[in-house]
Amino acid sequence: MDKLAMTDALMAAKLAKGLSWETIGSDLNMSPVWVASACLGMNSAPAEKAKAIAEYLEVGPEVATALEVYPTKVWDQAVPTDPLIYRLYEVVGVYGDTLKQVIQEKFGDGIMSAIDFSMEVDKIEDPKGDRVLLTLNGKFLPYKSW
Amino acid sequence: MDKLAMTDALMAAKLAKGLSWETIGSDLNMSPVWVASACLGMNSAPAEKAKAIAEYLEVGPEVATALEVYPTKVWDQAVPTDPLIYRLYEVVGVYGDTLKQVIQEKFGDGIMSAIDFSMEVDKIEDPKGDRVLLTLNGKFLPYKSW
Amino acid sequence: MDKLAMTDALMAAKLAKGLSWETIGSDLNMSPVWVASACLGMNSAPAEKAKAIAEYLEVGPEVATALEVYPTKVWDQAVPTDPLIYRLYEVVGVYGDTLKQVIQEKFGDGIMSAIDFSMEVDKIEDPKGDRVLLTLNGKFLPYKSW
Amino acid sequence: MDKLAMTDALMAAKLAKGLSWETIGSDLNMSPVWVASACLGMNSAPAEKAKAIAEYLEVGPEVATALEVYPTKVWDQAVPTDPLIYRLYEVVGVYGDTLKQVIQEKFGDGIMSAIDFSMEVDKIEDPKGDRVLLTLNGKFLPYKSW
Amino acid sequence: MDKLAMTDALMAAKLAKGLSWETIGSDLNMSPVWVASACLGMNSAPAEKAKAIAEYLEVGPEVATALEVYPTKVWDQAVPTDPLIYRLYEVVGVYGDTLKQVIQEKFGDGIMSAIDFSMEVDKIEDPKGDRVLLTLNGKFLPYKSW
Amino acid sequence: MDKLAMTDALMAAKLAKGLSWETIGSDLNMSPVWVASACLGMNSAPAEKAKAIAEYLEVGPEVATALEVYPTKVWDQAVPTDPLIYRLYEVVGVYGDTLKQVIQEKFGDGIMSAIDFSMEVDKIEDPKGDRVLLTLNGKFLPYKSW
Amino acid sequence: MDKLAMTDALMAAKLAKGLSWETIGSDLNMSPVWVASACLGMNSAPAEKAKAIAEYLEVGPEVATALEVYPTKVWDQAVPTDPLIYRLYEVVGVYGDTLKQVIQEKFGDGIMSAIDFSMEVDKIEDPKGDRVLLTLNGKFLPYKSW
Amino acid sequence: MDKLAMTDALMAAKLAKGLSWETIGSDLNMSPVWVASACLGMNSAPAEKAKAIAEYLEVGPEVATALEVYPTKVWDQAVPTDPLIYRLYEVVGVYGDTLKQVIQEKFGDGIMSAIDFSMEVDKIEDPKGDRVLLTLNGKFLPYKSW
Amino acid sequence: MDKLAMTDALMAAKLAKGLSWETIGSDLNMSPVWVASACLGMNSAPAEKAKAIAEYLEVGPEVATALEVYPTKVWDQAVPTDPLIYRLYEVVGVYGDTLKQVIQEKFGDGIMSAIDFSMEVDKIEDPKGDRVLLTLNGKFLPYKSW
Amino acid sequence: MDKLAMTDALMAAKLAKGLSWETIGSDLNMSPVWVASACLGMNSAPAEKAKAIAEYLEVGPEVATALEVYPTKVWDQAVPTDPLIYRLYEVVGVYGDTLKQVIQEKFGDGIMSAIDFSMEVDKIEDPKGDRVLLTLNGKFLPYKSW
């Protein structure tokens, strides 16, 4: 079973059970963002987590096996077109140099890891229009000299 | 005075005074990220904030005027090469579809605005390596039908 | 049923009934542009509108369900080739900087939303050749400082 | 005097006099959008209009001559980055096929001209947030067979 | 029946009957270039011409219907590779600025329409090597000011 | 003197004398298109023609020398933006496959040369709008087998 | 039978008979390069040669017919990845301007035809490592003035 | 002295002396192609050859030093536009797969080196039109297994 | 059997037997990197090695035959997206000019061959986090003059 | 002093003193690759190393300061053209998937860091042609789940 078929199986089960990523994450004690990413095939799941997800969604053990596979992460290399994703890309374009200044001033020369990394989505209710809160948390990695 | 000359003047003053974005933001009661972005020419500053920044850094009033100008936001449309900025771009590529799923499940069909938007950088000290915390806060805009 | 199959079903029903977008929109009290966009899969329809469209075109309830799904909006990222669509792209190229000047002078620093947005097509009859009138109506979103 | 120097001269005069495109257009009985486009060098001005603009802004006759020159219209062929211009590009991407359907159903096989074309910007005041109204008016050109 | 199937049906009939575009055009009193373009799916045919082509080539009425459909004109946006087509592209590259100079000097600021347009191919016999004569005929469209 | 300086010198002389490419070509017994192309630096001129052009426009002999230099023909490899040139590019896109069919059916497998090639621009006056007539004349080159 | 199926049939027959392009070319009195190119579908074969190839490889007459068809020559427009082909592309990049200098100095302004063209591959045995000898032979085509 | 200034100095000296690459190569006992390539800055010259070239063209010793520098070989990565260079690129596109077949059948799996490589240009006089003969000579490098 | 089917067969056998590239390479006395590359279809295997691999993994002789076929090496020409592969690409971008300096200073003008080449992967255990050691070994090829 | 001027100053000093990266690295007890990379402006140097390099090469303290600046790492995003650098890029293309397989099999799901990373160049003398040995050493970073 490849990652595509795995995602189809998981999405069908999720839809049939009427579950949200929020609920799944909360019931399994995992982050909703991470669960969604693993189910969409962009992250591998450790064995016990893969098993927990598959059992919770009542799909076969071959889905758990597929969740454990290390994915080749592929996305469209052109500018993204979906407006929600484009806005994130625009943030990187507009604020990229600013973040480089502020982060490196605070931490030294280096980067924020996208591997040793986690991310959350929260909702801030607001009478003038609710707000999306994205929290990105990555280990700082300093460049080394040798 | 165009935005390029403005940035040069502000960066020279900042360097001469030995100030960090952190300190400037804190002293002026503005976000360090927003101050850096305005000084780098990617956001316009309202008149009173432009004046405050110019006076604080002791640069001429023509710099304040340049800070008020509405910028044409331009960045390199190819994949960014600087490793710090690339990692942010990678996050959008790896987690773009996941964020679309999780945000739209939580808020309905729509986007997180990159205009009615703010962002912060924090440092989480950690003996195994400090961590960078980025917080993105954007208004949710629902699609309308008509 | 995915968006592609949904569009096929809706287009076949529309053709069989000999209806135009104009008539459909007028009978359902919706904009012809918005109905066409929802049926082509580039906008989601609120539940009651999805139901109304499906019933009017006498297609099954699974089509109404598909109309409600939030689409991932994808288009060809290269320069469009169809002459009608290219002319619109050319308008953005030729008049983009002009519109930035005129809109921001009138409204301040910010953008015209493409999310809180509607659009209409009208025909102006003219003995020297009929004219197409496109009306775009989007909320102005000011940049914020923080 | 080339178009670049012409634009510099016109923008400096406009700024010095504190005029908006709105006022200039209204005083000269021309559309603000068209005046801005001609002054930015993306459209040529007929002789008498070129003279009127130059006299009104009190710039030399060589500016009027430059306004008459037929421009080579050049813009960046990659996806535009400035958020205001990108949103217009996004509208073409999201609604391009829809507009093709609706226009050709109404007018037959052909295009909306971007040459025999005009455009206006209006402001609709609204307590929930002002709205931008763009009106595009282009001659319909039917394809011919031969 | 879509345009692809239509082209297949028409090409098979043309091959079976051993006809050239020259003969088809001449027998039907249409331009060979236009007939070929309509049969290849890059132009729509008015009803009576669609019917005439289908009857002449003895294909079913669904082919005539398909000929009437307004096509979405799509071609490969990269530099063309086929040597015959590349040479035409090279002519546009080498002579584009020259044609702009000569046409606009003769007609004023504007363009040659590619919509109100026709084209012919002729053969000039020559003992040193026959020559291809392409004739392009397009309406001149002047830019308007407003 | 490089080609850029040569073009500047020739264009200045042409403007000062109030000459059109039409008149220059007619007086020198050369095609206006070819003269324009040589003066814009996209074709080299044989020695006697280079001399004739330079003497007619009363520019120095170094301009004649520059006209003789074999140019490196360079143009922007992206899709052209100027509307007049884009329409020519669109013609190649829309009619490329059609021309391949019609030309190769008439002449055999091969191409129309863009080197052993000439081109003319004519004006057809028409009360419904003047028309541009472009005539391309290229030697047919058959592929060889060996 | 299209060119793809034709190539499959010819390659299968060649493999089954254990023949090399060298032997086929030598037995049929054609160049191995040209035979390979025709069999791979990048050149059309004159009728008698098509017949000879098909009979020699003992494939059906529909393969001979397919060999006669004029191909649309298509290749990947990005930089080639296969190392053997890339090295040829690198030669064009490194030596392109040099060849332009040396050829045009020797022949005048013009090009080496890629249509009236042939090419051979030879092996030079050498104890320090055999060498590949490629010989390209193309007609010189001078630019014309008119 | 960088490579650009070096090329300018060498080209000026060559022009002043009225020399061709043919003559230079023949007098210095070097290949005209290699000399041109070294003078254009795309190959480095061994010390004694650099000295010989500089003395022959009577330019200063700093030019000889510049000829010895190892160049960074850079060329435009898009499809070349100059017709002479494009035809070479077209040859690689049309015949790339064919050459791979014929060379690897003759030599085994591997490539023709573009480093241990030489190239010549010859003229074949022909009453029907002279022909260009390009000879490429590269060491065959077999892939290794390990 | 083409390379794709070959890879599928080999990967299935490897998975079924629970073997790693490390073990396969060690048992067959081949480098794990080379075995993986041959099984993934990016290198051809000499006959005896192809036979050894097929027998060891107990797949049919048609797999051995497919392993011997000279591959056309194709990869995605855009910037790689998978993070592991991107990091290698980043190393080439960041250190490319540095390696050119250091290698050419040490060896003279020339390149490191990617054909006469081998590569190994080793693991260095480290309490602060294990390290990956990549060793690339390629023959130096000096440029020649001629 | 920006990084460009810094590199010019350092390269001039190195040339004047006749030093190699090898010698500099060895005398300063730093890796030649790292020193070259820092001097070319692609890595920042810690303060004491920056000072040591500047003193050793006898350049002013403003060069040491420039060496400490955190660089924005920029390189050409298209396929590299210089043959030495292209071969490294080819290695990533040919062996990228192989390395992903072998590394992740050995270490688990994750990447080799290009930040916590070092690299060396060595020469292996060989009578059949010297060999380049590149050693890349990067920390393994496992993906985390959360």
Short mmCIF file of all heavy atoms in Angstrom, two decimals, chain J residues 71-114:
data_model
loop_
_atom_site.label_atom_id
_atom_site.label_comp_id
_atom_site.label_asym_id
_atom_site.label_seq_id
_atom_site.Cartn_x
_atom_site.Cartn_y
_atom_site.Cartn_z
N PRO J 71 26.30 36.04 6.58
CA PRO J 71 25.99 36.28 5.17
C PRO J 71 24.57 35.86 4.80
O PRO J 71 23.99 34.97 5.41
CB PRO J 71 26.98 35.38 4.44
CG PRO J 71 27.21 34.26 5.37
CD PRO J 71 27.13 34.84 6.77
N THR J 72 24.01 36.53 3.81
CA THR J 72 22.84 36.03 3.10
C THR J 72 23.39 35.19 1.97
O THR J 72 24.07 35.71 1.08
CB THR J 72 21.97 37.18 2.57
OG1 THR J 72 21.46 37.89 3.70
CG2 THR J 72 20.79 36.66 1.75
N LYS J 73 23.15 33.89 2.01
CA LYS J 73 23.77 32.97 1.06
C LYS J 73 22.94 32.92 -0.21
O LYS J 73 21.81 32.45 -0.19
CB LYS J 73 23.88 31.58 1.68
CG LYS J 73 24.62 31.61 3.02
CD LYS J 73 24.85 30.24 3.63
CE LYS J 73 25.59 30.41 4.97
NZ LYS J 73 26.08 29.16 5.51
N VAL J 74 23.49 33.43 -1.28
CA VAL J 74 22.74 33.51 -2.54
C VAL J 74 23.53 32.82 -3.63
O VAL J 74 24.73 33.01 -3.74
CB VAL J 74 22.52 34.99 -2.93
CG1 VAL J 74 21.81 35.09 -4.27
CG2 VAL J 74 21.70 35.69 -1.86
N TRP J 75 22.87 32.00 -4.43
CA TRP J 75 23.54 31.43 -5.61
C TRP J 75 22.51 31.35 -6.73
O TRP J 75 21.32 31.51 -6.49
CB TRP J 75 24.16 30.06 -5.29
CG TRP J 75 23.19 28.99 -4.90
CD1 TRP J 75 22.50 28.16 -5.73
CD2 TRP J 75 22.81 28.62 -3.55
NE1 TRP J 75 21.71 27.31 -4.99
CE2 TRP J 75 21.89 27.55 -3.67
CE3 TRP J 75 23.17 29.07 -2.29
CZ2 TRP J 75 21.29 26.96 -2.55
CZ3 TRP J 75 22.58 28.47 -1.19
CH2 TRP J 75 21.66 27.43 -1.31
N ASP J 76 23.03 31.15 -7.91
CA ASP J 76 22.17 31.12 -9.10
C ASP J 76 21.25 29.90 -9.02
O ASP J 76 21.72 28.77 -8.91
CB ASP J 76 23.09 31.04 -10.33
CG ASP J 76 22.29 31.15 -11.61
OD1 ASP J 76 21.05 31.21 -11.56
OD2 ASP J 76 22.92 31.17 -12.68
N GLN J 77 19.92 30.14 -9.09
CA GLN J 77 18.99 29.03 -8.89
C GLN J 77 18.79 28.13 -10.10
O GLN J 77 18.15 27.09 -10.01
CB GLN J 77 17.63 29.58 -8.42
CG GLN J 77 17.72 30.16 -7.01
CD GLN J 77 17.24 31.58 -6.94
OE1 GLN J 77 17.53 32.36 -7.83
NE2 GLN J 77 16.52 31.89 -5.89
N ALA J 78 19.33 28.55 -11.25
CA ALA J 78 19.24 27.68 -12.43
C ALA J 78 20.32 26.60 -12.34
O ALA J 78 21.17 26.63 -11.45
CB ALA J 78 19.39 28.50 -13.69
N VAL J 79 20.27 25.66 -13.26
CA VAL J 79 21.28 24.60 -13.30
C VAL J 79 22.65 25.26 -13.48
O VAL J 79 22.82 26.08 -14.38
CB VAL J 79 20.96 23.65 -14.47
CG1 VAL J 79 22.06 22.61 -14.63
CG2 VAL J 79 19.61 22.97 -14.25
N PRO J 80 23.65 24.91 -12.62
CA PRO J 80 24.97 25.55 -12.74
C PRO J 80 25.63 25.20 -14.08
O PRO J 80 25.47 24.09 -14.58
CB PRO J 80 25.76 24.97 -11.58
CG PRO J 80 25.05 23.73 -11.17
CD PRO J 80 23.61 23.93 -11.53
N THR J 81 26.37 26.16 -14.66
CA THR J 81 27.01 25.89 -15.96
C THR J 81 28.47 25.51 -15.85
O THR J 81 28.96 24.75 -16.69
CB THR J 81 26.91 27.12 -16.89
OG1 THR J 81 27.46 28.24 -16.22
CG2 THR J 81 25.47 27.40 -17.26
N ASP J 82 29.20 26.02 -14.87
CA ASP J 82 30.62 25.68 -14.81
C ASP J 82 30.76 24.16 -14.68
O ASP J 82 30.16 23.54 -13.78
CB ASP J 82 31.32 26.37 -13.64
CG ASP J 82 32.80 26.08 -13.68
OD1 ASP J 82 33.51 26.73 -14.46
OD2 ASP J 82 33.24 25.15 -12.96
N PRO J 83 31.57 23.52 -15.56
CA PRO J 83 31.63 22.05 -15.56
C PRO J 83 32.00 21.43 -14.21
O PRO J 83 31.43 20.41 -13.85
CB PRO J 83 32.68 21.75 -16.64
CG PRO J 83 32.52 22.90 -17.60
CD PRO J 83 32.28 24.10 -16.72
N LEU J 84 32.93 22.02 -13.47
CA LEU J 84 33.28 21.42 -12.17
C LEU J 84 32.07 21.42 -11.23
O LEU J 84 31.78 20.42 -10.55
CB LEU J 84 34.46 22.18 -11.54
CG LEU J 84 34.98 21.58 -10.24
CD1 LEU J 84 36.49 21.69 -10.16
CD2 LEU J 84 34.36 22.19 -9.00
N ILE J 85 31.36 22.53 -11.18
CA ILE J 85 30.22 22.60 -10.26
C ILE J 85 29.05 21.76 -10.80
O ILE J 85 28.36 21.09 -10.04
CB ILE J 85 29.79 24.08 -10.05
CG1 ILE J 85 30.97 24.86 -9.43
CG2 ILE J 85 28.57 24.17 -9.14
CD1 ILE J 85 30.74 26.35 -9.31
N TYR J 86 28.87 21.76 -12.14
CA TYR J 86 27.79 20.93 -12.69
C TYR J 86 27.96 19.46 -12.33
O TYR J 86 26.99 18.76 -12.04
CB TYR J 86 27.71 21.06 -14.22
CG TYR J 86 26.58 20.21 -14.73
CD1 TYR J 86 25.26 20.64 -14.65
CD2 TYR J 86 26.80 18.91 -15.20
CE1 TYR J 86 24.21 19.83 -15.04
CE2 TYR J 86 25.76 18.09 -15.58
CZ TYR J 86 24.46 18.56 -15.49
OH TYR J 86 23.42 17.74 -15.86
N ARG J 87 29.19 18.96 -12.34
CA ARG J 87 29.40 17.53 -12.04
C ARG J 87 28.92 17.19 -10.62
O ARG J 87 28.39 16.11 -10.37
CB ARG J 87 30.88 17.15 -12.20
CG ARG J 87 31.47 17.30 -13.61
CD ARG J 87 30.67 16.66 -14.71
NE ARG J 87 31.30 16.77 -16.03
CZ ARG J 87 31.09 17.78 -16.88
NH1 ARG J 87 30.29 18.78 -16.60
NH2 ARG J 87 31.67 17.75 -18.08
N LEU J 88 29.10 18.14 -9.68
CA LEU J 88 28.62 17.92 -8.31
C LEU J 88 27.09 17.89 -8.30
O LEU J 88 26.47 17.07 -7.61
CB LEU J 88 29.12 19.04 -7.40
CG LEU J 88 30.64 19.15 -7.27
CD1 LEU J 88 31.01 20.43 -6.52
CD2 LEU J 88 31.19 17.94 -6.54
N TYR J 89 26.51 18.81 -9.06
CA TYR J 89 25.05 18.85 -9.18
C TYR J 89 24.53 17.55 -9.82
O TYR J 89 23.50 17.01 -9.40
CB TYR J 89 24.68 20.08 -10.02
CG TYR J 89 23.26 20.15 -10.50
CD1 TYR J 89 22.27 20.75 -9.73
CD2 TYR J 89 22.91 19.64 -11.74
CE1 TYR J 89 20.96 20.83 -10.18
CE2 TYR J 89 21.60 19.71 -12.20
CZ TYR J 89 20.63 20.30 -11.42
OH TYR J 89 19.35 20.37 -11.87
N GLU J 90 25.27 17.05 -10.80
CA GLU J 90 24.87 15.80 -11.46
C GLU J 90 24.90 14.64 -10.46
O GLU J 90 24.03 13.77 -10.48
CB GLU J 90 25.82 15.52 -12.63
CG GLU J 90 25.38 14.37 -13.53
CD GLU J 90 26.32 14.20 -14.72
OE1 GLU J 90 26.22 14.96 -15.69
OE2 GLU J 90 27.18 13.30 -14.68
N VAL J 91 25.90 14.65 -9.59
CA VAL J 91 25.99 13.60 -8.57
C VAL J 91 24.74 13.61 -7.69
O VAL J 91 24.17 12.56 -7.37
CB VAL J 91 27.27 13.79 -7.71
CG1 VAL J 91 27.19 12.98 -6.43
CG2 VAL J 91 28.51 13.40 -8.52
N VAL J 92 24.27 14.81 -7.31
CA VAL J 92 23.06 14.90 -6.50
C VAL J 92 21.86 14.38 -7.27
O VAL J 92 21.00 13.68 -6.73
CB VAL J 92 22.82 16.35 -6.02
CG1 VAL J 92 21.48 16.49 -5.32
CG2 VAL J 92 23.95 16.81 -5.10
N GLY J 93 21.79 14.70 -8.57
CA GLY J 93 20.67 14.22 -9.39
C GLY J 93 20.68 12.72 -9.57
O GLY J 93 19.69 12.02 -9.38
N VAL J 94 21.86 12.17 -9.93
CA VAL J 94 21.95 10.73 -10.20
C VAL J 94 21.80 9.92 -8.92
O VAL J 94 21.10 8.91 -8.89
CB VAL J 94 23.29 10.40 -10.90
CG1 VAL J 94 23.49 8.88 -11.00
CG2 VAL J 94 23.36 11.02 -12.28
N TYR J 95 22.45 10.37 -7.83
CA TYR J 95 22.50 9.55 -6.62
C TYR J 95 21.57 10.01 -5.50
O TYR J 95 21.61 9.44 -4.41
CB TYR J 95 23.95 9.48 -6.11
CG TYR J 95 24.84 8.74 -7.06
CD1 TYR J 95 25.65 9.41 -7.95
CD2 TYR J 95 24.82 7.34 -7.13
CE1 TYR J 95 26.45 8.74 -8.87
CE2 TYR J 95 25.61 6.66 -8.04
CZ TYR J 95 26.42 7.36 -8.90
OH TYR J 95 27.18 6.67 -9.81
N GLY J 96 20.75 11.05 -5.75
CA GLY J 96 19.90 11.58 -4.67
C GLY J 96 18.99 10.53 -4.06
O GLY J 96 18.95 10.35 -2.84
N ASP J 97 18.24 9.82 -4.90
CA ASP J 97 17.31 8.81 -4.36
C ASP J 97 18.06 7.67 -3.70
O ASP J 97 17.61 7.10 -2.70
CB ASP J 97 16.41 8.28 -5.48
CG ASP J 97 15.38 9.32 -5.91
OD1 ASP J 97 14.98 10.16 -5.08
OD2 ASP J 97 15.00 9.30 -7.09
N THR J 98 19.21 7.31 -4.28
CA THR J 98 20.03 6.25 -3.70
C THR J 98 20.50 6.64 -2.30
O THR J 98 20.41 5.85 -1.34
CB THR J 98 21.25 5.99 -4.61
OG1 THR J 98 20.78 5.39 -5.81
CG2 THR J 98 22.27 5.08 -3.94
N LEU J 99 21.00 7.87 -2.15
CA LEU J 99 21.48 8.30 -0.84
C LEU J 99 20.35 8.34 0.17
O LEU J 99 20.52 7.99 1.34
CB LEU J 99 22.16 9.66 -0.95
CG LEU J 99 23.51 9.62 -1.71
CD1 LEU J 99 24.01 11.04 -1.94
CD2 LEU J 99 24.54 8.82 -0.92
N LYS J 100 19.17 8.78 -0.29
CA LYS J 100 18.00 8.79 0.61
C LYS J 100 17.74 7.37 1.13
O LYS J 100 17.53 7.18 2.33
CB LYS J 100 16.78 9.34 -0.14
CG LYS J 100 15.56 9.55 0.73
CD LYS J 100 14.46 10.29 -0.02
CE LYS J 100 13.12 10.10 0.64
NZ LYS J 100 12.99 10.71 1.97
N GLN J 101 17.76 6.40 0.23
CA GLN J 101 17.55 5.00 0.63
C GLN J 101 18.60 4.54 1.64
O GLN J 101 18.29 4.00 2.69
CB GLN J 101 17.64 4.09 -0.61
CG GLN J 101 16.49 4.18 -1.55
CD GLN J 101 15.51 3.05 -1.37
OE1 GLN J 101 15.84 2.02 -0.77
NE2 GLN J 101 14.28 3.23 -1.83
N VAL J 102 19.85 4.74 1.28
CA VAL J 102 20.92 4.17 2.10
C VAL J 102 21.03 4.89 3.44
O VAL J 102 21.18 4.26 4.49
CB VAL J 102 22.26 4.20 1.32
CG1 VAL J 102 23.40 3.71 2.20
CG2 VAL J 102 22.16 3.32 0.06
N ILE J 103 20.94 6.22 3.43
CA ILE J 103 21.07 6.96 4.69
C ILE J 103 19.90 6.66 5.62
O ILE J 103 20.08 6.37 6.81
CB ILE J 103 21.16 8.49 4.43
CG1 ILE J 103 22.48 8.83 3.72
CG2 ILE J 103 21.04 9.28 5.74
CD1 ILE J 103 22.59 10.28 3.26
N GLN J 104 18.67 6.69 5.08
CA GLN J 104 17.53 6.51 5.97
C GLN J 104 17.41 5.07 6.46
O GLN J 104 16.89 4.82 7.54
CB GLN J 104 16.24 7.02 5.30
CG GLN J 104 16.32 8.55 5.08
CD GLN J 104 15.02 9.17 4.60
OE1 GLN J 104 14.19 8.50 4.02
NE2 GLN J 104 14.87 10.47 4.84
N GLU J 105 17.92 4.12 5.67
CA GLU J 105 17.94 2.75 6.14
C GLU J 105 18.89 2.61 7.33
O GLU J 105 18.65 1.84 8.26
CB GLU J 105 18.41 1.85 4.99
CG GLU J 105 18.00 0.41 5.14
CD GLU J 105 18.38 -0.38 3.90
OE1 GLU J 105 19.59 -0.68 3.74
OE2 GLU J 105 17.50 -0.69 3.10
N LYS J 106 19.98 3.39 7.28
CA LYS J 106 21.02 3.30 8.30
C LYS J 106 20.69 4.11 9.54
O LYS J 106 21.12 3.77 10.64
CB LYS J 106 22.31 3.87 7.69
CG LYS J 106 23.46 2.93 7.65
CD LYS J 106 24.67 3.59 7.03
CE LYS J 106 25.89 2.76 7.23
NZ LYS J 106 26.48 2.34 5.94
N PHE J 107 19.97 5.23 9.37
CA PHE J 107 19.81 6.18 10.47
C PHE J 107 18.35 6.38 10.90
O PHE J 107 18.11 6.98 11.95
CB PHE J 107 20.34 7.57 10.05
CG PHE J 107 21.83 7.67 9.90
CD1 PHE J 107 22.45 7.27 8.72
CD2 PHE J 107 22.64 8.19 10.90
CE1 PHE J 107 23.83 7.38 8.55
CE2 PHE J 107 24.02 8.31 10.75
CZ PHE J 107 24.61 7.90 9.56
N GLY J 108 17.40 5.96 10.09
CA GLY J 108 15.99 6.27 10.38
C GLY J 108 15.55 7.45 9.55
O GLY J 108 16.32 7.99 8.75
N ASP J 109 14.27 7.88 9.73
CA ASP J 109 13.73 8.98 8.92
C ASP J 109 14.34 10.29 9.40
O ASP J 109 14.24 10.63 10.59
CB ASP J 109 12.20 9.02 9.03
CG ASP J 109 11.55 9.79 7.90
OD1 ASP J 109 12.26 10.25 6.99
OD2 ASP J 109 10.31 9.92 7.92
N GLY J 110 14.96 11.03 8.50
CA GLY J 110 15.60 12.28 8.86
C GLY J 110 16.51 12.74 7.75
O GLY J 110 16.42 12.24 6.63
N ILE J 111 17.40 13.66 8.04
CA ILE J 111 18.28 14.24 7.03
C ILE J 111 19.71 14.36 7.56
O ILE J 111 19.96 14.28 8.75
CB ILE J 111 17.83 15.65 6.63
CG1 ILE J 111 17.95 16.61 7.84
CG2 ILE J 111 16.40 15.65 6.11
CD1 ILE J 111 18.04 18.04 7.45
N MET J 112 20.64 14.59 6.62
CA MET J 112 22.00 14.98 6.98
C MET J 112 22.03 16.49 7.00
O MET J 112 21.71 17.13 6.00
CB MET J 112 23.00 14.45 5.94
CG MET J 112 24.44 14.85 6.28
SD MET J 112 25.66 14.25 5.05
CE MET J 112 25.57 15.58 3.84
N SER J 113 22.40 17.09 8.12
CA SER J 113 22.40 18.54 8.23
C SER J 113 23.43 19.17 7.31
O SER J 113 24.55 18.67 7.17
CB SER J 113 22.70 18.97 9.66
OG SER J 113 22.72 20.39 9.76
N ALA J 114 23.05 20.30 6.68
CA ALA J 114 24.00 21.09 5.90
C ALA J 114 24.46 22.30 6.70
O ALA J 114 25.15 23.16 6.18
CB ALA J 114 23.36 21.52 4.58
#
